[in-house]
Amino acid sequence: MARSGETRVRRTKGLSRAFNWLAVLGVILVIAGIVGLVYTAAATLTSMILFGWLLLTGGVVGLLHAVQARGTSFFWLGVIVAALNIAAGIVVIRIPHAAADALTMFAALLFLAAGLFRLVGSVVVRGPQFGWTLLLGAFDLLLGVLVLVSWPGSSQYVIGCFFSLALLFDGLGLIAAGYGGRGVVGMMDERAPV
């Protein structure tokens, strides 16, 4: 019986430690997000170079996988997709500013399309969330227009801003999960029979 109590205490401490590390990772991401929001141009450049390296690495791994699958119907499709990923990765790494311009234009067009569909959909459907859908559609449309009107200058900060906001909110989520998880472990430990 004492041994099961020791095991439970060890597991509880291990879980608490794991949730502490989760919260620490969250704090690091929040700090990185705040720094990125302050230095959006650097965050844009960093995120584009990171994106390029991810494309390049994914292309190399895909090519290795395609070579292992030679003799199957997947081989040529795998080689083509891997070659496109490698080429795109090299282009993004070599000219990250042009890649940021293109990605910002794509984001603006995506916001415009999403806003238009939400606006039209909310008017046509008139569901229970009519007001919110209409507001979101107008916000998406406005954001798309703002990014598009100031393009290509907006490409210096839009991608970095989105990337930094993603880091910030992911970090806040990890902090909440870490502290919440520690609280749950503590409650379970208090309620466990001795």
Side-chain angles (χ1 to χ4, degrees):
M1 195 67 161
R3 198 170 275 214
S4 69
E6 290 173 14
T7 304
R8 182 177 47 82
V9 168
R10 223 174 326 125
R11 285 183 185 164
T12 302
K13 285 184 180 178
L15 276 173
S16 288
R17 202 168 324 145
F19 282 119
N20 284 340
W21 281 111
L22 198 62
V24 167
L25 177 61
V27 168
I28 292 169
L29 288 180
V30 165
I31 292 169
I34 291 170
V35 169
L37 286 172
V38 172
Y39 300 104
T40 53
T44 297
L45 187 62
T46 303
S47 62
M48 293 312 300
I49 291 173
L50 177 64
F51 180 58
W53 278 107
L54 287 173
L55 282 171
L56 187 61
T57 304
V60 169
V61 169
L63 188 60
L64 292 174
H65 182 65
V67 168
Q68 287 178 343
R70 65 183 172 269
T72 66
S73 59
F74 167 77
F75 175 73
W76 286 110
L77 178 63
V79 168
I80 291 169
V81 170
L84 288 172
N85 279 338
I86 290 170
I90 290 170
V91 167
V92 171
I93 291 169
R94 289 185 55 95
I95 46 174
H97 293 293
D101 288 348
L103 201 55
T104 302
M105 173 63 80
F106 178 73
L109 294 175
L110 193 63
F111 280 124
L112 287 172
L116 191 61
F117 279 113
R118 279 194 176 132
L119 283 173
V120 170
S122 68
V123 170
V124 169
V125 174
R126 289 202 180 264
Q129 301 295 323
F130 169 74
W132 286 112
T133 307
L134 192 67
L135 184 66
L136 279 174
F139 181 74
D140 283 347
L141 207 56
L142 178 66
L143 192 57
V145 167
L146 287 175
V147 171
L148 199 57
V149 165
S150 61
W151 187 85
S154 61
S155 63
Q156 294 179 7
Y157 60 86
V158 167
I159 302 299
C161 186
F162 289 163
F163 184 69
S164 300
L165 285 172
L167 287 176
L168 180 67
F169 287 115
D170 285 347
L172 290 172
L174 287 177
I175 291 170
Y179 283 120
R182 267 188 44 198
V184 169
V185 168
M187 287 183 347
M188 289 174 48
D189 192 37
E190 290 172 5
R191 292 184 182 176
V194 180

